[in-house]
């Protein structure tokens, strides 16, 4: 308990996300805007899902514990589906933005590619989702208390932190795969992403049996990561090239023209 | 209120002929409903207008030599350069405002969460005389509405008074007023804040040290805000005084009154800036007619205007720069809260370089363009987020949701700014989003997330 647990769990949960943001997003204003707008979209989806859950709870019998648990499961499933729906909506918006940016840019190419936007939007969904899941838990971890005093698992904080980390990474990967699938109209990929999200959420229902929930979730994270890597154009060859730090011969020709034809619409 | 910094003189007449030319040349932008696309397109338009506005002089001079057919060609070349710059600067402006707003909110939330003083009820301001300690809900609602009416009327009266003073050129009075208010803010409120922070962390500080610290902080603040100072330091002081003012509001405004006031003030902001007879709009227009910056305080400016190698002697540039640093803002005279915050919603539409005769394109390209945001906007954003942090039953989700909502509102407002290219109220969209997100997150999302967290379920 105390500061050690707080900093440790915060580091575990948000370390990768923070590193990714600092290294890839923070320097570019457009990416920061995409990040914040993605968070907004996720929040709206959560709002709608909470509304549905809230209404269903109020219409039902409060005393029945099993019913309430069932409604919670239902609410979680609705939330997952809404998140993916809003991811699709965000894809549509970013696609339009991409076209607009390309139109008004001088060389016909937008300053940010759709793949970069896919990555940043996935990251934004992941960060806001992780933050909303774990920030109250982190805030409680500072204060005095004993974990699991009523018979619950004493590993609550650390497993929450690991789950959050997995969730952040998963959202990033799903973002990349999702946008690529929408671009190339591979709807089976879309379905697989949604199914994988539902599966991950469902696995958390097995908590506190952490070996049944954490381990499969991390396996899913790894597989989704590899899938996203391949989708984004990575390959074993690329990794080798990157690791060998070879200087690539710039075979591109530098175009320089002093005379520019006036840009005609 | 937010505007772009514009280094041109009055834009009315030349811009008319230019806009008609510009619209013919501008590339077709599909729809104005989408966010980022219109942001960039809008910024393109804004920058195009600004560039043509500012490069009007050389073109007008060249017009005499050029034939009419030459002008559109030159225009399209201009537009391309402008669009290129727009893409570079459009998103940058948004970030230039995101950072200070975020910093101000972080300071306020950190203080609220750690220092008990600002969440304790210790009386109310005289502007909100009705107490909310009534048993019935209806009575409480009525009291908060009455409080709001009184507060908004005070604000309106003070703003109108300020506009009248400005119109009749009582500059000394205004300056004296501003200096007095920033004195109070920088010394008295800082002293109280420091005292409470020291109390919270149980740190002892003797009076001589305290005096030294407060004196240095306040004196440097006064110099930076009202005279000259490094831009970053000035921005930091503005953020700090906005945070201090917001904390005062969070402490002294009763619960429901605060929310109603936030709603009412965004409606007032909308009307004051956009209606033809609105006080703030009249102020902006008067300042534009006189070609001078609106107030030497109350505005947060994100960049300094400077030109390299101007035709006019350096004093003009430096004068411009110092006037820019003057455009810092201070705000928050508790007694005259209203006009301050109302003033602070004004921002300049033009920078102090209006007397620059001819500027070449290279010089223009080296200027730092920026956006200005009134300090009142900072204050009310921070009040919303601070209240969310103070009253949302220890929940961080509500605070974060309000924070994201305000940032998105600011982004959308900047988008509209780029589309409409005139001073716009910065409060309505952000505050609306913030209020919607506050109430919905507090009442709907929080129970959902808490129930999920208690079972350690993740969505």
């Amino acid at each position: 308990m105390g500061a050690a647990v707080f900093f440790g769990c915060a580091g575990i949960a948000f370390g990768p996300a923070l590193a990714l943001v600092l290294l890839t997003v923070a320097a570019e204003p457009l990416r920061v805007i995409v990040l914040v707008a993605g968070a907004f979209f996720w929040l709206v989806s959560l709002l709608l899902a909470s509304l549905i859950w809230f209404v269903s709870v109020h219409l039902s019998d409060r005393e029945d514990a099993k019913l309430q648990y069932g409604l919670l499961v239902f609410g979680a499933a609705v939330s997952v589906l809404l998140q993916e729906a809003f991811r699709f909506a965000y894809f549509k918006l970013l696609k339009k933005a991409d076209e607009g940016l390309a139109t008004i840019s001088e060389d016909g190419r937008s300053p940010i590619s759709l793949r970069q936007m896919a990555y940043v939007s996935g990251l934004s969904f992941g960060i806001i989702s992780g933050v909303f899941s774990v920030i109250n838990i982190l805030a409680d971890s500072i204060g005095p208390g004993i974990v699991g005093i009523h018979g619950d698992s004493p590993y609550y904080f650390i497993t929450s932190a690991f789950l959050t980390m997995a969730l952040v990474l998963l959202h990033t990967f799903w973002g990349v795969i999702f946008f690529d699938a929408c671009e190339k109209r591979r709807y089976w990929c879309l379905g697989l992403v949604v199914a994988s999200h539902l599966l991950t959420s469902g696995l958390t229902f097995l908590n506190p049996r952490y070996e049944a929930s954490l381990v499969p979730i991390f396996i899913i994270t790894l597989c989704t990561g590899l899938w996203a890597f391949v989708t984004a154009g990575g390959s074993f060859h690329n990794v080798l090239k990157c690791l060998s730090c070879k200087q690539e011969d710039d075979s591109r020709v530098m175009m320089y023209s002093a005379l520019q034809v006036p840009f005609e619409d | 209120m937010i505007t772009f910094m514009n280094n041109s003189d009055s834009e009315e007449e030349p811009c008319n002929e230019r806009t008609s030319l510009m619209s013919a040349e501008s590339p077709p932008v599909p729809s104005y409903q989408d966010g980022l696309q219109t942001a960039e397109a809008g910024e393109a338009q804004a920058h195009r207008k600004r560039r043509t506005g500012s490069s009007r002089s050389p073109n007008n001079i060249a017009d005499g030599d050029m034939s009419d057919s030459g002008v559109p060609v030159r225009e399209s070349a201009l537009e391309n350069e402008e669009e290129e710059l727009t893409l570079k600067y459009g998103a940058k402006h948004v970030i230039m405002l995101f950072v200070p707003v975020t910093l101000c909110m972080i300071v306020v939330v950190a203080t609220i969460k750690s220092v008990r003083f600002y969440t304790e009820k210790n009386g109310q301001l005289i502007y909100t005389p009705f107490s909310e300690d009534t048993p019935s809900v209806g009575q409480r609602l009525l009291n908060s509405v009455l409080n709001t009416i009184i507060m908004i009327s005070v604000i309106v009266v003070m703003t109108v008074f300020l506009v009248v003073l400005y119109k009749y050129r009582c500059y000394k009075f205004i300056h004296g007023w501003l200096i007095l208010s920033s004195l109070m803010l920088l010394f008295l409120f800082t002293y109280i804040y420091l005292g409470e922070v020291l109390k919270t962390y149980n740190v002892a500080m003797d009076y001589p040290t305290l005096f030294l610290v407060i004196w240095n902080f306040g004196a440097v603040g006064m110099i930076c805000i009202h005279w000259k100072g490094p831009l970053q330091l000035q921005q930091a002081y503005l953020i700090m005084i906005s945070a201090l003012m917001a904390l005062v509001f969070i402490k002294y405004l009763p619960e429901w009154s605060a929310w109603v006031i936030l709603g009412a003030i965004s409606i007032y902001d909308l009307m004051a800036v956009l209606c033809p007879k609105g006080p703030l709009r009249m102020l902006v227009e008067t300042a534009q007619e006189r070609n001078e910056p609106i107030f030497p305080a109350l505005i947060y400016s994100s960049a300094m205007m400077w030109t390299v190698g101007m035709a006019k002697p350096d004093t003009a540039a430096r004068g411009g720069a110092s006037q820019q640093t003057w455009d810092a803002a201070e705000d928050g005279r508790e007694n005259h809260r209203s006009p301050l915050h109302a003033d602070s919603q004004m921002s300049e539409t033009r920078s102090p370089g209006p007397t620059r005769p001819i500027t070449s394109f290279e010089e223009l390209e080296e200027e730092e363009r920026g956006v200005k945001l009134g300090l009142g906007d900072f204050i009310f954003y921070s009040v919303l987020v601070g209240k969310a942090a103070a009253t949302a039953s220890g929940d961080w989700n509500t605070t974060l949701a309000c924070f994201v909502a305000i940032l998105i509102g600011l982004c959308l407002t900047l988008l509209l700014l780029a589309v409409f290219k005139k001073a716009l109220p910065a409060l309505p969209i952000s505050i609306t989003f913030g209020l919607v997100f506050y109430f919905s997150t507090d009442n709907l999302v929080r129970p959902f997330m808490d129930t999920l967290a208690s079972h350690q379920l993740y969505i």
Side-chain angles (χ1 to χ4, degrees):
Chain A
M1 289 302 290
V5 174
F6 171 73
F7 282 112
C9 290
I12 292 174
F14 295 115
L18 191 67
L20 285 174
V21 165
L22 284 179
L23 288 175
T24 57
V25 174
E28 292 273 323
L30 264 178
R31 291 183 202 165
V32 175
I33 296 175
V34 172
L35 194 82
V36 177
F40 180 73
F41 271 72
W42 188 90
L43 278 177
V44 175
S45 83
L46 181 68
L47 207 79
L48 290 175
S50 317
L51 181 66
I52 295 176
W53 176 81
F54 192 77
V55 164
S56 67
V57 161
H58 272 260
L59 290 177
S60 70
D61 176 22
R62 298 286 194 97
E63 304 305 316
D64 190 350
K66 275 190 94 57
L67 177 64
Q68 293 301 315
Y69 191 73
L71 281 178
L72 196 63
V73 174
F74 166 70
V78 165
S79 169
V80 167
L81 293 173
L82 275 174
Q83 281 177 50
E84 298 303 324
F86 271 81
R87 204 198 293 272
F88 183 70
Y90 198 39
F91 163 75
K92 283 270 176 234
L93 179 69
L94 286 179
K95 190 109 200 297
K96 282 230 174 93
D98 194 39
E99 287 162 14
L101 286 173
T103 317
I104 55 177
S105 101
E106 198 178 72
D107 53 359
R109 278 168 45 230
S110 117
I112 185 174
S113 77
L114 197 64
R115 282 229 179 114
Q116 289 176 2
M117 290 203 272
Y119 158 70
V120 176
S121 79
L123 188 60
S124 72
F125 269 48
I127 291 177
I128 193 75
S129 156
V131 162
F132 260 63
S133 306
V134 96
I135 195 102
N136 284 327
I137 298 173
L138 283 177
D140 287 336
S141 72
I142 304 180
I146 299 178
V147 192
I149 198 170
H150 291 292
D152 302 304
S153 161
Y155 303 116
Y156 186 77
F157 288 140
I158 193 109
T159 49
S160 296
F162 274 108
L163 273 173
T164 310
M165 175 177 81
L167 201 68
V168 169
L169 292 173
L170 271 173
H171 267 286
T172 315
F173 302 146
W174 285 329
V176 172
I177 301 170
F178 194 95
F179 276 46
D180 188 72
C182 287
E183 268 288 285
K184 304 202 174 116
R185 299 186 190 281
R186 289 197 201 134
Y187 295 117
W188 60 271
C189 274
L190 274 188
L192 215 58
V193 164
V194 177
S196 135
H197 194 165
L198 279 169
L199 178 65
T200 310
S201 185
L203 278 174
T204 58
F205 282 74
L206 297 177
N207 285 330
R209 285 195 299 275
Y210 296 122
E211 58 284 349
S213 67
L214 261 186
V215 174
I217 286 181
F218 269 90
I219 295 175
I220 294 178
T221 311
L222 224 61
C223 299
T224 323
L226 284 170
W227 186 10
F229 181 66
V230 168
T231 312
S235 67
F236 187 60
H237 188 59
N238 282 353
V239 175
L240 281 182
K241 231 178 8 171
C242 173
L243 287 176
S244 71
C245 300
K246 254 200 303 222
Q247 283 283 9
E248 187 180 300
D249 289 328
D250 201 344
S251 53
R252 289 170 297 167
V253 175
M254 285 282 284
M255 297 266 294
Y256 176 78
S257 58
L259 291 170
Q260 259 194 334
V261 179
F263 192 74
E264 242 126 38
D265 279 355
Chain B
M1 207 157 79
I2 77 184
T3 62
F4 278 117
M5 283 160 39
N6 197 334
N7 62 334
S8 63
D9 310 338
S10 103
E11 339 172 88
E12 279 94 45
E13 190 261 323
C15 273
N16 292 337
E17 61 189 24
R18 288 212 99 98
T19 41
S20 56
L21 284 170
M22 264 172 16
S23 50
E25 302 285 337
S26 63
V29 178
S31 82
Y32 273 83
Q33 265 77 33
D34 312 306
L36 279 175
Q37 174 204 16
T38 40
E40 299 321 304
E43 310 273 5
Q45 303 266 3
H47 276 267
R48 195 179 305 134
K49 182 164 190 224
R50 254 205 348 272
R51 286 296 304 271
T52 41
S54 51
S55 52
R56 191 177 8 95
S57 336
N59 261 342
N60 281 344
I61 287 163
D63 265 354
D65 316 333
M66 257 191 213
S67 63
D68 284 329
S69 56
V71 177
V73 174
R74 210 185 154 143
E75 288 237 351
S76 54
L78 258 179
E79 279 166 33
N80 289 336
E81 283 175 47
E82 290 164 14
E83 283 161 16
E84 188 71 10
L85 273 175
T86 303
L87 288 178
K88 268 199 266 170
Y89 289 123
K92 217 168 147 203
H93 290 155
V94 178
I95 304 302
M96 283 200 277
L97 283 187
F98 270 12
V99 173
V101 169
T102 310
L103 282 175
C104 190
M105 288 198 238
I106 287 177
V107 170
V108 169
V109 170
T111 310
I112 292 280
K113 288 286 189 186
S114 52
V115 179
R116 288 272 152 261
F117 172 73
Y118 287 103
T119 40
E120 288 162 5
K121 290 289 311 161
N122 268 345
Q124 296 180 199
L125 294 171
I126 54 163
Y127 304 112
T128 52
F130 294 95
S131 156
E132 285 192 11
D133 277 332
T134 53
S136 79
V137 170
Q139 183 71 23
R140 191 173 182 184
L141 196 60
L142 181 69
N143 281 354
S144 53
V145 170
L146 289 172
N147 280 339
T148 308
I149 293 175
I150 295 176
M151 188 85 165
I152 302 286
S153 337
V154 172
I155 289 175
V156 170
V157 162
M158 289 299 193
T159 314
V160 168
F161 182 50
L162 198 70
V163 172
V164 163
L165 281 178
Y166 189 68
K167 254 193 151 53
Y168 291 110
R169 300 180 188 262
C170 308
Y171 293 137
K172 289 220 151 48
F173 191 94
I174 296 177
H175 285 165
W177 190 3
L178 290 177
I179 286 179
L180 211 64
S181 315
S182 51
L183 261 177
M184 168 127 62
L185 208 61
L186 281 171
F187 286 99
L188 180 65
F189 283 173
T190 311
Y191 168 69
I192 294 174
Y193 179 77
L194 194 59
E196 293 306 321
V197 169
L198 291 175
K199 267 189 229 170
T200 307
Y201 292 107
N202 209 16
V203 173
M205 190 186 260
D206 51 310
Y207 274 116
T209 314
L210 188 72
F211 173 73
L212 206 67
V213 168
I214 301 279
W215 171 250
N216 279 306
F217 181 82
V220 175
M222 288 300 291
I223 293 175
C224 270
I225 294 173
H226 290 282
W227 193 48
K228 294 187 233 229
L231 183 66
Q232 310 260 31
L233 195 61
Q234 184 190 339
Q235 290 173 336
Y237 268 105
L238 293 176
I239 294 174
M240 279 192 272
I241 59 178
S242 308
L244 282 173
M245 199 58 218
L247 285 169
V248 165
F249 275 133
I250 295 171
K251 181 174 170 64
Y252 288 112
L253 285 180
E255 287 277 339
W256 291 18
S257 306
W259 297 114
V260 184
I261 285 177
L262 276 173
I265 215 106
S266 29
I267 299 175
Y268 165 71
D269 196 20
L270 195 66
M271 295 195 319
V273 175
L274 293 180
C275 288
K277 281 299 167 193
L280 296 180
R281 182 169 170 154
M282 278 171 38
L283 201 58
V284 169
E285 282 167 3
T286 317
Q288 281 180 6
E289 281 166 32
R290 297 184 194 167
N291 261 333
E292 55 189 32
I294 294 179
F295 280 115
L298 313 173
I299 308 282
Y300 176 94
S301 94
S302 55
M304 192 152 22
M305 290 288 271
W306 45 268
T307 51
V308 176
M310 278 178 26
K312 226 161 177 187
D314 275 335
T315 46
R318 241 177 281 127
S322 63
Q323 233 180 332
Q324 212 52 30
T325 54
W326 268 19
D327 295 355
E330 130 325 84
D331 155 296
R333 315 132 205 193
E334 357 331 292
N335 313 330
H336 318 288
R337 158 100 208 68
S338 31
L340 273 219
H341 120 256
D343 312 336
S344 53
Q345 269 150 30
M346 264 167 342
S347 54
E348 292 199 35
T349 46
R350 36 211 72 231
S351 82
T355 50
R356 234 192 335 248
I358 296 170
T359 52
S360 71
F361 291 135
E362 307 86 71
E363 287 166 10
L364 282 170
E365 265 165 304
E366 289 182 54
E367 281 170 16
E368 267 296 308
R369 295 172 191 279
V371 200
K372 295 191 182 188
L373 184 63
L375 277 207
D377 302 325
F378 275 88
I379 292 175
F380 282 106
Y381 293 161
S382 308
V383 166
L384 193 142
V385 175
K387 269 272 182 230
T391 62
S393 32
D395 191 45
W396 282 91
N397 288 344
T398 318
T399 314
L400 284 163
C402 291
F403 168 69
V404 173
I406 286 181
L407 285 188
I408 290 294
L410 190 59
C411 202
L412 285 175
T413 312
L414 282 166
L415 194 92
L416 288 177
L417 181 70
V419 169
F420 290 111
K421 298 175 274 276
K422 58 177 196 169
L424 284 182
L427 281 184
I429 303 181
S430 289
I431 299 285
T432 313
F433 277 0
L435 287 175
V436 165
F437 269 76
Y438 171 76
F439 287 110
S440 51
T441 311
D442 201 30
N443 297 316
L444 299 174
V445 176
R446 190 178 44 88
F448 184 46
M449 295 306 285
D450 281 348
T451 321
L452 286 175
S454 65
H455 295 273
Q456 209 172 11
L457 301 178
Y458 279 70
I459 43 170

